[in-house]
Amino acid sequence: MRKIFVLIAVLAITACSNNNQKSADNEMDRFISELMGKMTIQEKIGQLNLVTPGGGILTGSVVSTDVESKIKAGNVGGIFGFYGPDKLRQAQKMAVEETRLGIPMIFGADVIHGYKTTVPIPLGLSFSWDLELIEKTAQMAAKEATADGIFWNFSPMVDVSRDPRWGRISEGSGEDPFLGSEIAKAMVKGYQQNDLKAPHTMMATVKHFALYGAPEAGRDYNTVDMSRMKMFNEYMPPFKAAIDAGVGCVMTSFNDVDGIPASGNRWLLTELLRGQWEFDGFVVSDYTSINEMIDHGMGDLQAVSAMALNAGLDMDMVGEGFLTTLEKSLNEGKVTEEAINLACRRVLEAKYKLGLFDDPYRYFDDARPAKDILSAENREIARMAAAHSMVLLKNTNQMLPLKKSGNIALIGPLANDKNNMLGTWAPTGDPQLSVPILEGMKSVAGENVKIVYAKGANISDDPVFAAKINVFGPRIEIDERSAEAMLKEAVNVAKSADVVVAVVGEASEMSGESASRSDITIPESQKKLVRALAATGKPLVLVIMSGRPLAIPEENELADAILFTGHPGVEAGNAIADVVFGETNPSGKLTVTFPRNVGQVPIYYAMRKTGRPQADDVFTKFRSNYLDVENSPLFPFGFGLSYTNFEYANLAVSKQTFSSGDEIEVSVDVSNTGNFDGEEVVQLYVRDVVASVTRPLKELKGFKKIFIKKGETETVTFNLSANDLAFYHQDLQFYAEPGEFMVFVGGNSDAPLSGKFELK
Ligand code: NOJ
């Protein structure tokens, strides 16, 4: 009886909230229809124009001009890359008070990994596998950005990538669609918090739709070609997840999809996105990506602009093809008034949902920046996020954590550096606010440790390379001293220490946009340094910083311990010191496979089965392999050590068979058998043993990050349903095939414990 009552109450509440939603939607439709009834065609087209007034970091060669006069003429729907309540209030005033209809503008920015309190690069943050933490960093970013007047974010970037040559692998969550989807949802939730009108939330944009993470040869902006099955099973899920989580905006990608550039691809932007996935927000182009369809060979500016509008793209970033050609195309019958109306309505709806028609100045509170930005509390979150994102790749003889006594030689071009700590694409962060590692180590180590620093090497000795990296400010500073002199100093410092900590890797702009590499090793200048330090015979800890997986087999041989930190953000030095001295036990796990060399790329754990698999990583003629390198990666997906040790036992599957509509339970005991309390990411993978199409060797289908005290055992349980076993088939239907499945559970994708079950 009670149950029935609860059910009726729930249904009533749901019906009531559905009704509320409907009436809010009706109210919005009525408001916008009335407004649009007063708008001229040119004013409608003006709403589709997004400009950047310059002064920030530009990501293309074109800059918006005459922004002020365009705003006053009603030719601007939104602005991005322009910050601060005062400046934005002035701009908004122009739109509200000096245009005929007073329509407020939307203000956007790239708030990719923190606003001013920069957290680790997204790839680094994904290593935490900690959805709550990730959501919290997004929430913090939204609070800081909105304090500065920004309420539309060009994040999350959810492009799956299996190619470490591609510089923008740093901006995503790695290679896996399941984990990527979970992170996409957490970020959308963190930014939007299910309430776009709240003063501390911002509208999120999922990008880059679609397939941007798979450019041929890993070269940014390059062409993409993949089967629909791969697309839907491996690259699309995080977009779908963000849309299901209610993301307000979608940004198109620069590449083509099935031969048609994404910004002009009607199948992608209308049939799939709006038709099948029921996305009801608006679509923005990437920076001049409509214009770039001219270079793709799609026609002149008028033709590509019409193509983009007809495809379902609503707002044109910087290119002004919409602004300058759509009216002509309308007159010539190349676009319809309905298409312009639809795009305009979607942009106005976003503004309505953000509350701008109630109060266009709602995000401009002069008191907020000082209170909400870079607070001590936020820096603490950044420090914690960074420490929890680091991956311990090697720790021979429990080299780490270091004792807080003795002499440490802290060596390397990234060891006492502020310019590279934030990582790529932190346009609102200030590198000079970051904590260098030397400073962090000294403060965490205390007085009983003597730390002597030497630079030891330049990040790169090549001035031509350095010039390409230093576009946003100094990142690679080539020392006045010779490479030999620096090396000699470092070796001497190392010889007089008990242990050497060397911080090496990539400058922040060696990854990110337009920063692809064909060689993914540590630059030679630093390799020489590592060799020389190893030759001293002193215990060697490598702290490796980079925006991508690096091929580091030699360093792996030479070092006693390796901590991979990504680019950790504004609290870099403190967070690294926390981990190095054991204040934080590392719990990060790779979300992308680390190859042995670039020739193995693409290499990822979920590769499909071949007809000639090779067992045990030993070369066998006429099997799928290489003559000059093993098939296995250097470090697999999901891998990461802890200062303690976790043992897995007793994998149990609740039923041998189950049918769709039912669930199966998989459980495992995880014991902390080492000497530290610690967190472990328990991972569950599934293999479809027989199917109608070739399937991946394994797919991640569940994970839990849990804390286990030393000496204790926790039982971890996962539930699987037929939906978790489903995949897109050749006809793009999504369903599970009955039959046998294997399940693997462990601390990385090479999880040895396995079980079986059957789906009826
Ligand atoms: C180009 C980048 O691809 C995109 O991610 C970014 O949001 C825009 N520039 C705006 O800065």
Side-chain angles (χ1 to χ4, degrees):
M1 182 64 193
R2 205 182 126 72
K3 266 192 190 157
I4 292 174
F5 176 74
V6 171
L7 184 67
I8 291 172
V10 168
L11 290 176
I13 291 168
T14 318
C16 179
S17 77
N18 284 347
N19 285 342
N20 288 346
Q21 186 54 45
K22 264 193 204 131
S23 80
D25 287 352
N26 289 342
E27 176 53 31
M28 177 172 78
D29 289 350
R30 195 199 51 73
F31 176 87
I32 291 174
S33 298
E34 200 183 310
L35 177 60
M36 284 181 62
K38 298 181 204 150
M39 292 171 82
T40 62
I41 272 292
Q42 198 54 37
E43 281 167 335
K44 289 175 185 168
I45 293 171
Q47 286 302 307
L48 315 184
N49 193 31
L50 175 64
V51 301
T52 185
I57 291 174
L58 310 169
T59 56
S61 50
V62 181
V63 190
S64 313
T65 52
D66 300 328
V67 170
E68 203 173 314
S69 51
K70 279 179 189 151
I71 295 174
K72 291 180 184 165
N75 281 337
V76 177
I79 294 188
F80 74 101
F82 195 51
Y83 315 97
D86 196 38
K87 279 206 235 160
L88 294 176
R89 185 186 302 107
Q90 281 179 38
Q92 191 71 304
K93 260 184 141 185
M94 285 177 209
V96 173
E97 293 179 12
E98 299 188 49
T99 63
R100 198 176 74 87
L101 293 168
I103 300 174
M105 294 186 293
I106 184 170
F107 294 107
D110 287 278
V111 184
I112 308 300
H113 47 117
Y115 183 66
K116 293 224 157 116
T117 307
T118 314
V119 298
I121 53 167
L123 183 65
L125 203 53
S126 73
F127 292 169
S128 73
W129 296 60
D130 187 336
L131 300 174
E132 252 174 63
L133 178 69
I134 292 170
E135 184 179 331
K136 195 169 178 175
T137 63
Q139 202 171 328
M140 172 177 87
K143 189 168 177 192
E144 289 201 353
T146 51
D148 231 5
I150 306 293
F151 45 86
W152 174 29
N153 194 5
F154 302 157
S155 170
M157 182 308 218
V158 305
D159 295 302
V160 166
S161 185
R162 281 102 186 249
D163 198 328
R165 294 171 299 183
W166 188 54
R168 299 195 83 172
I169 198 167
S170 55
E171 281 182 62
S173 296
E175 73 183 40
D176 188 64
F178 179 84
L179 177 62
S181 300
E182 294 300 306
I183 293 179
K185 283 191 265 182
M187 291 185 79
V188 171
K189 217 166 137 207
Y191 293 135
Q192 300 192 162
Q193 293 163 57
N194 293 324
D195 183 1
L196 287 176
K197 282 191 176 161
H200 295 130
T201 66
M202 65 200 313
M203 180 175 275
T205 303
V206 68
K207 68 187 190 185
H208 306 83
F209 196 54
L211 318 183
Y212 184 40
E216 284 185 358
R219 181 156 54 81
D220 204 5
Y221 317 127
N222 204 6
T223 202
V224 174
D225 202 359
M226 70 170 69
S227 71
R228 287 274 161 109
M229 255 204 326
K230 191 174 183 75
M231 202 184 278
F232 278 80
N233 286 317
E234 301 171 30
Y235 285 78
M236 292 300 193
F239 288 98
K240 174 80 166 51
I243 284 151
D244 291 346
V247 75
C249 181
V250 170
M251 186 188 292
T252 60
S253 58
F254 289 119
N255 53 281
D256 57 346
V257 172
D258 257 353
I260 299 178
S263 298
N265 194 317
R266 188 170 168 86
W267 170 77
L268 188 69
L269 304 183
T270 295
E271 286 173 35
L272 177 64
L273 184 64
R274 300 190 190 278
Q276 288 180 43
W277 292 355
E278 298 177 352
F279 172 63
D280 67 354
F282 75 109
V283 176
V284 65
S285 77
D286 201 346
Y287 204 107
T288 60
S289 68
I290 297 178
N291 312 52
E292 289 163 25
M293 291 199 284
I294 301 171
D295 282 325
H296 277 284
M298 300 287 120
D300 63 10
L301 186 61
Q302 185 187 351
V304 295
S305 302
M307 183 176 172
L309 185 82
N310 290 333
L313 196 153
D314 306 311
M315 201 177 215
D316 175 2
M317 188 192 292
V318 180
E320 302 203 338
F322 277 4
L323 189 71
T324 54
T325 70
L326 281 189
E327 196 165 1
K328 185 163 183 268
S329 290
L330 177 66
N331 294 337
E332 292 170 5
K334 292 180 175 139
V335 301
T336 61
E337 191 166 347
E338 289 69 55
I340 294 172
N341 282 344
L342 197 56
C344 175
R345 177 174 289 275
R346 289 175 186 144
V347 171
L348 294 176
E349 278 179 2
K351 294 181 177 183
Y352 186 96
K353 290 177 193 161
L354 285 159
L356 294 176
F357 290 110
D358 300 336
D359 176 6
Y361 306 106
R362 60 191 302 130
Y363 297 95
F364 312 138
D365 174 352
D366 294 312
R368 275 190 63 195
K371 214 169 45 189
D372 289 345
I373 297 177
L374 279 164
S375 62
E377 186 197 342
N378 288 2
R379 289 198 74 129
E380 202 41 54
I381 294 174
R383 180 173 181 164
M384 212 243 305
H388 283 81
S389 300
M390 292 173 191
V391 185
L392 184 65
L393 293 176
K394 182 178 183 186
N395 200 18
T396 310
N397 299 328
Q398 302 250 291
M399 184 71 235
L400 287 174
L402 297 182
K403 288 192 279 304
K404 289 187 181 172
S405 61
N407 293 339
I408 297 176
L410 180 65
I411 313 262
L414 292 160
N416 188 23
D417 167 282
K418 288 187 170 188
N419 294 333
N420 292 291
M421 296 303 102
L422 301 188
T424 186
W425 213 212
T428 46
D430 177 357
Q432 297 321 309
L433 297 177
S434 38
V435 182
I437 298 168
L438 178 59
E439 189 183 317
M441 294 263 286
K442 281 188 172 163
S443 106
V444 173
E447 280 164 10
N448 292 334
V449 184
K450 188 174 159 216
I451 302 178
V452 183
Y453 159 75
K455 183 172 173 185
N458 296 312
I459 294 177
S460 161
D461 290 334
D462 178 354
V464 177
F465 184 71
K468 293 180 191 162
I469 301 305
N470 293 343
V471 282
F472 303 143
R475 300 288 186 264
I476 299 183
E477 290 178 288
I478 300 184
D479 212 277
E480 282 170 3
R481 291 171 295 169
S482 70
E484 293 70 33
M486 279 195 283
L487 201 64
K488 196 165 162 205
E489 180 196 33
V491 168
N492 286 338
V493 170
K495 279 182 179 159
S496 61
D498 303 315
V499 56
V500 180
V501 177
V503 191
V504 294
E506 289 190 330
S508 54
E509 255 51 59
M510 283 171 69
S511 63
E513 189 171 351
S514 184
S516 296
R517 295 182 67 197
S518 67
D519 170 0
I520 54 167
T521 60
I522 291 173
E524 191 55 29
S525 54
Q526 300 182 71
K527 279 175 127 342
K528 280 188 195 149
L529 174 65
V530 174
R531 285 180 202 128
L533 294 174
T536 64
K538 294 285 179 177
L540 177 60
V541 176
L542 290 185
V543 173
I544 301 186
M545 232 176 239
S546 88
R548 56 159 58 75
L550 295 172
I552 46 169
E554 184 184 0
E555 290 73 19
N556 188 40
E557 285 291 313
L558 295 176
D560 297 286
I562 301 180
L563 183 68
F564 187 84
T565 66
H567 287 113
V570 71
E571 285 290 321
N574 286 331
I576 288 174
D578 286 342
V579 174
V580 165
F581 290 110
E583 298 291 325
T584 304
N585 186 354
S587 59
K589 301 269 190 178
L590 300 178
T591 58
V592 61
T593 303
F594 271 45
R596 293 176 191 275
N597 65 28
V598 75
Q600 288 185 313
V601 170
I603 178 169
Y604 49 99
Y605 83 92
M607 288 179 133
R608 295 210 302 273
K609 300 172 195 167
T610 88
R612 291 192 174 192
Q614 175 183 267
D616 302 329
D617 224 11
V618 176
F619 178 85
T620 319
K621 194 71 185 164
F622 304 121
R623 295 266 136 194
S624 180
N625 51 31
Y626 298 99
L627 288 172
D628 52 2
V629 69
E630 295 93 317
N631 282 1
S632 65
L634 190 60
F635 301 108
F637 175 87
F639 178 80
L641 303 169
S642 162
Y643 293 153
T644 195
N645 196 34
F646 294 106
E647 280 175 24
Y648 286 74
N650 305 327
L651 186 141
V653 181
S654 63
K655 298 173 199 160
Q656 286 315 303
T657 57
F658 81 118
S659 39
S660 58
D662 199 5
E663 280 198 345
I664 196 165
E665 223 177 67
V666 180
S667 64
V668 70
D669 292 340
V670 187
S671 305
N672 180 340
T673 56
N675 295 321
F676 297 81
D677 297 342
E679 285 177 289
E680 169 72 335
V681 181
V682 182
Q683 302 159 42
L684 177 139
Y685 298 85
V686 166
R687 176 182 300 160
D688 196 340
V689 179
V690 177
S692 60
V693 293
T694 53
R695 298 285 297 132
L697 284 166
K698 284 177 187 165
E699 290 175 292
L700 182 73
K701 289 294 174 189
F703 63 90
K704 285 188 180 162
K705 188 165 189 173
I706 52 161
F707 173 79
I708 312 181
K709 278 187 171 299
K710 64 179 174 189
E712 293 193 354
T713 298
E714 295 280 337
T715 302
V716 180
T717 307
F718 298 92
N719 290 314
L720 289 175
S721 69
N723 200 50
D724 295 311
L725 309 173
F727 61 93
Y728 289 92
H729 290 69
Q730 278 175 325
D731 58 2
L732 300 184
Q733 294 304 306
F734 184 73
Y735 58 89
E737 291 184 19
E740 194 188 327
F741 289 84
M742 285 186 78
V743 61
F744 306 85
V745 181
N748 67 64
S749 55
D750 276 345
L753 285 187
S754 66
K756 273 186 191 170
F757 59 85
E758 198 186 320
L759 178 70
K760 283 260 187 200

